[in-house]
Amino acid sequence: VGYSRVVVSVDKPDQSHDEFEGHAYDVSVSGLRFELDEPLEEGTPIEVELHLPGMLQSIRSTGRVVRVLDEFDDAGPQRMAVTFRSFSSPLDASRLTKHLASGYFGPER
């Protein structure tokens, strides 16, 4: 099914934050893989705003970067994985679960 837009926010020590836009794929209720032009370090806590096709509202969650593919093994945008720690609201978790179970991402699409 291709890529979905993702916006990743990283808090900085001075109370500001950096925001990066990229693509998400391999989405599940426990996390996702994503790619950004800028690499993040493994273990970095992040906020994720996920825009899935077929959904009018984004899904917001927090998580931690659990894997960063080696740029020498994987040229192009930096690919990473995040494990979700929590969703911004129970509604976000429910909407993601329902959307994934809906068949929207089935092989016929």
Side-chain angles (χ1 to χ4, degrees), residues 48-104:
V48 176
E49 180 181 341
L50 180 61
H51 299 265
L52 290 172
M55 293 190 75
L56 298 176
Q57 295 178 306
S58 63
I59 295 170
R60 295 178 175 269
S61 65
T62 61
R64 200 168 284 281
V65 176
V66 293
R67 183 169 183 222
V68 178
L69 281 101
D70 189 315
E71 64 184 273
F72 298 110
D73 293 338
D74 192 26
Q78 188 66 54
R79 296 177 185 206
M80 296 160 268
V82 60
T83 297
F84 297 142
R85 299 187 97 198
S86 65
F87 289 90
S88 293
S89 76
L91 184 58
D92 282 324
S94 175
R95 284 193 349 254
L96 178 58
T97 300
K98 286 179 183 175
H99 196 61
L100 292 173
S102 72
Y104 186 90

Side-chain angles (χ1 to χ4, degrees), residues 1-87:
V1 165
Y3 295 99
S4 298
R5 180 174 169 250
V6 67
V7 179
V8 174
S9 298
V10 180
D11 288 335
K12 293 173 23 177
D14 66 1
Q15 305 300 324
S16 66
H17 67 272
D18 285 330
E19 197 169 273
F20 306 97
E21 190 167 329
H23 297 99
Y25 50 98
D26 291 344
V27 178
S28 75
V29 294
S30 62
L32 56 86
R33 289 197 313 163
F34 65 102
E35 58 185 36
L36 304 173
D37 289 335
E38 298 292 324
L40 302 176
E41 289 187 30
E42 198 169 299
T44 301
I46 61 174
E47 293 182 28
V48 176
E49 180 181 341
L50 180 61
H51 299 265
L52 290 172
M55 293 190 75
L56 298 176
Q57 295 178 306
S58 63
I59 295 170
R60 295 178 175 269
S61 65
T62 61
R64 200 168 284 281
V65 176
V66 293
R67 183 169 183 222
V68 178
L69 281 101
D70 189 315
E71 64 184 273
F72 298 110
D73 293 338
D74 192 26
Q78 188 66 54
R79 296 177 185 206
M80 296 160 268
V82 60
T83 297
F84 297 142
R85 299 187 97 198
S86 65
F87 289 90

